[in-house]
Amino acid sequence: VLALNGKIRKVGDKIFASNGKKLDFASALGSCEEAGGTLATPMNEEENKAVLSIVKQYNQYAYLGIKEGETPGQFKFINNMPLNYTKWHKYEPNGKGTEKCVEMYTDGSWNDKKCNLYRLTICEF
C-alpha cells in the first residue's frame, strides 16, 4: 500500500497523500482505491494548493480525479459530480474529446491530457 514518508497534506476533513509512483490514470485510480481512497480531487483553492505542494515536492505533473463526460469539453469529478471549482491553465481544456483526463501542472493549473501517460499518483482520503 502507500508508504508515506511525510508526503501527506491535510485540508479540512480531506487528506492528500502520494507514494511518489507514476502511473497511467486507470492504474493510479486503482491504486488509490486499493488504499481506501480515490484520486485527488481539489474542490477549492485551499485543496488545490495542498495537492500542488505534493506536485512541487516531486516536481512532476499529477493526474486529478476529474474526467471528461459524454459531452466533449465538459469535465466532471470521477464520481460524476459537476465541477464547481476549476483551475484550468490558459486556453485549456482544449482536447475536444481526445484528452479525457486532467493533470495538474507544477504551477497548480490544470490541463486536459490523454489517460495513458504516466503521472504522479496523489490520493485523497
Side-chain angles (χ1 to χ4, degrees):
V1 203
L2 296 173
L4 296 168
N5 308 332
K7 313 291 192 251
I8 298 177
R9 299 288 178 279
K10 191 174 187 320
V11 180
D13 56 2
K14 276 190 186 180
I15 294 171
F16 297 105
S18 179
N19 58 5
K21 288 199 172 117
K22 290 172 78 173
L23 299 168
D24 63 45
F25 181 85
S27 304
L29 178 59
S31 114
C32 288
E33 287 175 348
E34 215 172 278
T38 189
L39 268 177
T41 52
M43 295 190 174
N44 56 48
E45 188 64 26
E46 195 186 3
E47 292 182 4
N48 204 71
K49 283 184 175 137
V51 175
L52 174 60
S53 70
I54 297 173
V55 164
K56 282 184 166 169
Q57 194 171 0
Y58 287 99
N59 196 28
Q60 291 174 10
Y61 296 173
Y63 277 129
L64 297 175
I66 300 168
K67 281 196 87 167
E68 193 167 34
E70 298 303 303
T71 313
Q74 191 174 37
F75 287 79
K76 297 176 176 170
F77 291 116
I78 43 180
N79 64 6
N80 271 328
M81 294 296 288
L83 294 183
N84 49 8
Y85 165 82
T86 59
K87 186 95 176 176
W88 294 111
H89 196 74
K90 196 173 182 181
Y91 308 123
E92 299 295 345
N94 64 4
K96 298 176 190 68
T98 61
E99 299 178 328
K100 295 199 169 291
C101 290
V102 177
E103 66 184 357
M104 180 184 281
Y105 286 151
T106 48
D107 67 357
S109 65
W110 304 355
N111 172 43
D112 56 333
K113 203 68 183 168
K114 291 190 181 329
C115 302
N116 61 349
L117 302 166
Y118 283 73
R119 295 290 180 262
L120 180 65
T121 303
I122 301 176
C123 303
E124 102 178 15
F125 302 93

